[in-house]
Amino acid sequence: MARTAQNAKYRGSIHDFPDFDSNQDAEALYTAMKGFGSDKESILELITSRSNRQRQEICQSYKSLYGKDLIADLKYELTGKFERLIVNLMRPLAYCDAKEIKDAISGVGTDEKCLVEILASRTNEQIHQLVAAYKDAYERDLESDIIGDTSGHFQKMLIVLLQGTRESDDVVSEDLVQQDVQDLYEAGELKWGTDEAQFIYILGNRSKQHLRLVFDEYLKTTGKPIEASIRGELSGDFEKLMLAVVKCIRSTPEYFAERLFKAMKGLGTRDNTLIRIMVSRSELDMLDIREIFRTKYEKSLYSMIKNDTSGEYKKALLKLCGGDDDAAGQFFPEAAQVAYQMWELSAVARVELKGTVRAADDFNPDADAKALRKAMKGIGTDEATIIDIITHRSNAQRQQIRQTFKSHFGRDLMADLKSEISGDLARLILGLMMPPAHYDAKQLKKAMEGAGTDEKALIEILATRTNAEIQAINKAYKEDYHKSLEDALSSDTSGHFRRILISLATGNREEGGEDRDQAREDAQEIADTPSGDKTSLETRFMTVLCTRSYPHLRRVFQEFIKMTNYDIEHVIKKEMSGDVKDAFVAIVQSVKNKPLFFADKLYKSMKGAGTDEKTLTRVMISRSEIDLLNVRWEFIEKYDKSLHEAIEGDTSGDFLKALLALCGGED
């Protein structure tokens, strides 16, 4: 659906200028550069308001009128990043790409990221034009130059991409899809070492549509996304190139949204990357990139450019961006469909959820109980043994150890652990020793006791647990605190937020599949609420979001986009505020992709100064036997670093060791 819309309509931010007159524009640019100093404002306004085709006509007219080269004059008059941006805009796209690649392989060292970005993302036709432009501009063979500057499997894949012979999307063979899945699996996961040639051949030549099906089938067959296998089997620049190819196959606009975000996040700006992407995508898919950027990073591309750049350079980039998606009324219908495709048509609905902690083979509760007793007996404590045993047993096995410990020694294992370990490690180990429902009940109790309420913890637990988990939590809460969870929530929260939490705490969400007719009615029910009628909007959202099954809600979200051209998450963020907004957003994100929701929670618990150890501990414990492996995959995919690496950089000591054991590996 989104693909059709994308093909049918122009998705660039720069259009042909109406009533275009190349001679008039050439004169205006000549005037702007004549005399002492130059009128940079006029130059940027004119050049960013013309399409690339029109700019080529202006260059021709400039030479005819003044016998001078316009690009040479612009280079002379302008400086720095602004000059690089304007000059790039004046070149045809193929020549712009050729110049970027020439710069990437000239001099000492190679800019591999530039090579990866261009060759992984261009179509067959764009590649052919690039090769011809390189030959024309530098009288050199691009393939020979790349061979001379790169090596190994990285070089081989670049050369394959440089042929521009990727198959068209017209024909997809189901038999060939299955064969490619098997070949990739045997070349990587099932092989001692890796047969890189198979990865190069399949990812370098098959059509995009074919490869999307291969990726889906690969996930079903192996239980892990193709990206996880690439990270596990390949390395270095070759790994980065193959991941870029996969990302472009899945969604080229999403790939560029991610590249733009990384170019501007943190200290300093990668201006060459920013310029290259803004120029090259301005007449192709900038509107889609903008919408995905806002959906993925919760801020507009426009606002990030505005905060990260300055002067005429900033003004020109903002013109290429074409609009601020955070401004009132800004939204692009086809891009909403693209945003929806990011998760609705992804493998998340079909992926097998896997934890990182499994039942230990040859489990012996008697031996474990004795080992734990020994680790805590006498002077000092053997934390390493405690961590090793408890993080490598399933929760059911831990309960057996507790029982055996009491039978053997007449002692309460939990009490002994409390007296021997402390701080963050104690919270983690004691949490692991509790049955999941009792652990969640305790976290809810802690979130509501004392001064103030930890609303984020309440939302995280109640918005993400299944009916069975919620019902078990209710039972555990009553058993442990002699009060119903509903009564506790009623006395500690208020208003719509209280109603939402109590609705979630009943554990009565429908469990069937989707009902398309009902989904349309549900979407219409929400869509019909007048903007500004906050009370009615919150009530209608609660009626649908807190009661319908996850598969049904996915369909509701799709129907809502069809009716309104808005992603439901965007509407919630725009129309609501405070805890109500946070609760609804958590439900929506959980429906869309629960492992990604928890990956975000983990990332936010560790980013910036200080660590939110409570959230970090709670998520690692609660997801360790459910979907922590999936959370790991989502974490590295979104944040470009592994969960293992993030934990290593943000925690220390025995707490770090226990968390890494739960994490279960480095991606």
Side-chain angles (χ1 to χ4, degrees):
M1 176 186 57
R3 225 166 278 135
T4 306
Q6 220 177 322
N7 292 338
K9 296 191 179 180
Y10 178 72
R11 304 298 303 141
S13 54
I14 300 294
H15 302 257
D16 279 339
F17 188 74
D19 303 321
F20 171 65
D21 185 327
S22 61
N23 286 336
Q24 190 175 310
D25 285 350
E27 288 173 20
L29 288 171
Y30 182 77
T31 303
M33 292 187 282
K34 198 165 72 172
F36 184 73
S38 55
D39 183 355
K40 296 182 181 66
E41 189 80 34
S42 295
I43 293 170
L44 83 85
E45 185 63 37
L46 191 151
I47 289 175
T48 58
S49 300
R50 307 298 185 268
S51 67
N52 192 276
R53 179 187 62 78
Q54 291 175 332
R55 292 183 209 121
Q56 304 319 308
E57 291 185 39
I58 295 169
C59 282
Q60 191 59 51
S61 293
Y62 194 90
K63 185 164 276 188
S64 299
L65 288 169
Y66 305 109
K68 292 161 71 76
D69 182 74
L70 176 54
I71 289 180
D73 280 4
L74 287 166
K75 280 183 178 178
Y76 180 79
E77 291 292 335
L78 309 177
T79 58
K81 295 172 286 193
F82 180 55
E83 178 244 318
R84 186 180 179 97
L85 175 60
I86 293 298
V87 167
N88 274 16
L89 284 168
M90 294 308 300
R91 293 190 176 105
L93 177 60
Y95 284 81
C96 193
D97 280 350
K99 176 70 165 63
E100 290 293 313
I101 285 185
K102 186 74 167 66
D103 289 348
I105 57 180
S106 296
V108 181
T110 305
D111 182 355
E112 289 86 0
K113 288 181 179 176
C114 173
L115 296 181
V116 167
E117 178 197 300
I118 292 174
L119 295 181
S121 65
R122 301 309 191 244
T123 63
N124 286 348
E125 185 183 358
Q126 288 168 340
I127 292 285
H128 297 152
Q129 291 169 352
L130 161 62
V131 171
Y134 192 91
K135 185 81 171 175
D136 181 52
Y138 306 111
E139 297 181 349
R140 297 178 65 86
D141 180 63
L142 178 54
E143 184 175 322
S144 298
D145 281 1
I146 284 180
I147 288 172
D149 210 67
T150 59
S151 61
H153 298 299
F154 178 59
Q155 177 197 92
K156 290 172 188 171
M157 185 61 177
L158 289 176
I159 298 306
V160 166
L161 294 173
L162 204 54
Q163 305 314 300
T165 53
R166 187 176 295 286
E167 296 162 356
S168 68
D169 280 347
D170 297 344
V171 180
V172 175
S173 160
E174 287 186 22
D175 290 341
L176 188 56
V177 166
Q178 295 297 338
Q179 186 60 54
D180 283 349
V181 168
Q182 194 59 36
D183 288 347
L184 287 171
Y185 193 32
E186 289 174 1
E189 298 287 336
L190 296 182
K191 188 179 178 67
W192 180 258
T194 306
D195 181 359
E196 291 87 356
Q198 279 287 19
F199 279 84
I200 290 170
Y201 176 72
I202 293 170
L203 294 182
N205 289 283
R206 300 290 192 235
S207 73
K208 285 192 169 189
Q209 183 58 33
H210 175 89
L211 284 172
R212 288 186 192 109
L213 295 174
V214 168
F215 298 161
D216 286 350
E217 288 301 316
Y218 188 89
L219 182 62
K220 289 179 189 174
T221 301
T222 68
K224 61 165 65 175
I226 188 72
E227 291 90 340
S229 289
I230 287 172
R231 289 192 185 96
E233 298 296 327
L234 313 180
S235 61
D237 293 323
F238 181 45
E239 175 199 337
K240 292 184 179 75
L241 174 57
M242 298 306 259
L243 287 172
V245 169
V246 170
K247 283 177 181 175
C248 288
I249 296 296
R250 291 195 187 279
S251 168
T252 304
E254 187 174 356
Y255 170 71
F256 282 113
E258 186 179 304
R259 291 279 294 156
L260 285 168
F261 180 75
K262 287 175 182 173
M264 291 182 280
K265 77 169 184 175
L267 292 173
T269 304
R270 296 172 182 82
D271 294 290
N272 288 355
T273 301
L274 180 56
I275 290 167
R276 185 170 59 243
I277 297 173
M278 294 302 291
V279 169
S280 66
R281 311 315 292 186
S282 60
E283 293 183 50
L284 296 174
D285 52 8
M286 185 57 70
L287 300 189
D288 295 330
I289 291 169
R290 276 169 48 180
E291 181 51 36
I292 289 172
F293 193 99
R294 187 185 64 184
T295 302
K296 197 163 183 175
Y297 302 111
E298 299 179 6
K299 65 177 77 174
S300 68
L301 175 59
Y302 188 98
S303 67
M304 196 160 185
I305 291 171
K306 193 174 178 181
N307 293 330
D308 213 64
T309 58
S310 60
E312 283 88 7
Y313 175 53
K314 173 172 79 172
K315 291 176 186 173
L317 287 171
L318 292 178
K319 287 276 289 181
L320 294 180
C321 184
D324 186 357
D325 301 306
D326 289 337
Q330 283 287 345
F331 202 80
F332 302 103
E334 296 83 2
Q337 309 294 345
V338 174
Y340 177 80
Q341 266 207 337
M342 286 167 61
W343 50 273
E344 153 66 11
L345 300 181
S346 75
V348 68
R350 299 179 291 277
V351 67
E352 182 186 352
L353 298 178
K354 289 185 177 180
T356 53
V357 174
R358 300 170 187 84
D361 296 331
D362 303 321
F363 172 58
N364 185 335
D366 188 66
D368 285 347
K370 287 175 180 173
L372 287 170
R373 176 68 179 139
K374 184 180 177 184
M376 294 184 283
K377 203 173 174 183
I379 299 170
T381 306
D382 180 1
E383 286 90 353
T385 296
I386 294 171
I387 291 168
D388 184 57
I389 292 174
I390 291 175
T391 60
H392 291 95
R393 305 294 183 269
S394 67
N395 194 276
Q397 289 175 332
R398 293 182 206 122
Q399 303 318 309
Q400 289 185 56
I401 295 170
R402 283 179 69 176
Q403 188 58 54
T404 304
F405 195 89
K406 184 164 274 188
S407 299
H408 276 5
F409 308 111
R411 303 171 66 90
D412 180 9
L413 176 55
M414 294 288 277
D416 280 6
L417 287 167
K418 270 184 190 175
S419 68
E420 293 291 329
I421 54 177
S422 60
D424 295 326
L425 177 65
R427 274 191 289 275
L428 181 64
I429 294 296
L430 291 168
L432 287 168
M433 291 305 301
M434 297 177 73
H438 289 266
Y439 178 71
D440 278 346
K442 184 174 183 181
Q443 296 308 302
L444 291 169
K445 180 78 162 62
K446 280 182 170 293
M448 292 183 280
E449 67 188 9
T453 304
D454 183 353
E455 291 86 1
K456 284 184 167 55
L458 296 179
I459 291 167
E460 177 201 307
I461 295 169
L462 294 175
T464 61
R465 302 307 193 250
T466 64
N467 282 347
E469 288 168 339
I470 292 281
Q471 286 155 15
I473 291 168
N474 274 290
K475 185 179 176 185
Y477 199 96
K478 185 81 172 176
E479 191 178 312
D480 293 345
Y481 307 112
H482 312 293
K483 183 179 185 179
S484 75
L485 176 58
E486 183 178 331
D487 287 347
L489 291 168
S490 294
S491 60
D492 205 68
T493 57
S494 60
H496 273 287
F497 182 54
R498 176 170 62 195
R499 290 174 58 201
I500 293 165
L501 293 180
I502 289 173
S503 177
L504 293 172
T506 60
N508 284 325
R509 185 180 292 283
E510 294 166 2
E511 294 192 326
E514 65 178 59
D515 178 333
R516 291 198 174 215
D517 292 336
Q518 183 62 52
R520 278 189 283 273
E521 287 181 29
D522 288 342
Q524 194 70 58
E525 173 81 6
I526 300 169
D528 283 346
T529 313
S531 182
D533 186 354
K534 196 173 173 184
T535 302
S536 179
L537 189 68
E538 289 173 354
T539 300
R540 292 185 187 205
F541 266 78
M542 190 183 86
T543 303
V544 175
L545 293 183
C546 295
T547 64
R548 303 292 192 245
S549 72
Y550 272 28
H552 181 82
L553 283 173
R554 287 192 187 99
R555 181 55 53 194
V556 172
F557 298 166
Q558 174 66 335
E559 295 299 330
F560 187 83
I561 284 178
K562 285 182 188 174
M563 290 172 188
T564 67
N565 291 322
Y566 282 80
D567 182 89
I568 201 158
E569 191 174 333
H570 171 71
V571 172
I572 292 167
K573 289 175 178 174
K574 184 183 173 189
E575 298 288 341
M576 300 179 198
S577 60
D579 298 327
V580 170
K581 177 191 77 173
D582 292 343
F584 284 146
V585 166
I587 295 168
V588 170
Q589 289 178 345
S590 185
V591 170
K592 286 179 176 181
N593 185 340
K594 196 178 287 187
L596 178 58
F597 171 80
F598 283 112
D600 286 340
K601 294 287 285 184
L602 287 170
Y603 177 77
K604 287 170 184 170
S605 76
M606 292 183 279
K607 78 168 187 175
T611 305
D612 178 0
E613 288 89 358
K614 288 181 182 176
T615 300
L616 176 57
T617 300
R618 186 172 60 245
V619 175
M620 293 296 288
I621 289 172
S622 65
R623 309 318 295 179
S624 60
E625 290 185 55
I626 299 173
D627 55 6
L628 191 54
L629 188 61
N630 307 81
V631 172
R632 271 171 42 186
W633 294 338
E634 296 292 347
F635 193 99
I636 196 170
E637 193 63 35
K638 182 164 181 180
Y639 298 110
D640 216 29
K641 67 158 73 170
S642 68
L643 177 58
H644 187 283
E645 183 186 348
I647 291 169
E648 237 177 1
D650 215 65
T651 59
S652 61
D654 291 321
F655 182 50
L656 163 67
K657 291 173 188 171
L659 286 172
L660 292 182
L662 288 183
C663 184
E666 166 68 284
D667 296 304

